[in-house]
Amino acid sequence: MKASTFFIGLVTGVVAGTATVLFSTPQSGSDLRSNFKTASSDWKEKLSEVKFQISDLKESIAGLSKEAKTKVPQTIDDLKESVQEWQTKTGPIQENLQTEITSIQMALEELEKSLAKNQKDTSPAI
């Protein structure tokens, strides 16, 4: 639902409710006309205030949208640059870690072979 449709419905409902209250209240014709004029001028003022606030809101949304269109792509570019910089800085560290892991795996394999050889040498012949 569009906001303008909602506000038109809201204003229409308020005007109809006000008219119903004014016409259903027992009072003389001159009092009714006086109250109606007062109520209608009050509602005109309130309606113009609502219109002003809506136009102000539209301007704020337009400004925010324009700012988002410029800031979001810049932020994305900055993030991409930061990720690339991080990858560049951590690349050598990752290579060193991989080398260390490989060395540890080889040392473990040699230790397992050595332990297996020791067990064969020390096991009693049956």
Side-chain angles (χ1 to χ4, degrees), residues 7 14 18 20 22 27 32 36 52-53 62 68 87 91 95 104 107 111 114 120:
F7 285 115
V14 168
T18 302
T20 303
L22 284 174
Q27 50 188 311
L32 178 63
F36 188 73
F52 175 74
Q53 289 176 352
Q87 287 176 339
E95 290 175 11
I104 291 171
L111 183 61
S114 175
K120 284 183 184 178

Side-chain angles (χ1 to χ4, degrees), residues 64-119:
L64 181 61
S65 175
K66 182 184 275 187
E67 186 175 337
K69 286 179 183 178
T70 59
K71 295 290 182 179
V72 169
Q74 180 62 37
T75 303
I76 290 172
D77 290 341
D78 290 346
L79 283 172
K80 285 180 181 179
E81 187 178 313
S82 294
V83 168
Q84 287 177 338
E85 184 178 323
W86 176 79
Q87 287 176 339
T88 303
K89 287 181 179 179
T90 59
I93 296 171
Q94 288 176 349
E95 290 175 11
N96 288 340
L97 286 174
Q98 189 62 39
T99 304
E100 290 293 324
I101 290 172
T102 304
S103 297
I104 291 171
Q105 287 175 340
M106 290 175 61
L108 285 174
E109 288 174 8
E110 288 178 18
L111 183 61
E112 287 175 353
K113 288 178 186 176
S114 175
L115 287 175
K117 185 178 177 184
N118 285 342
Q119 283 182 345

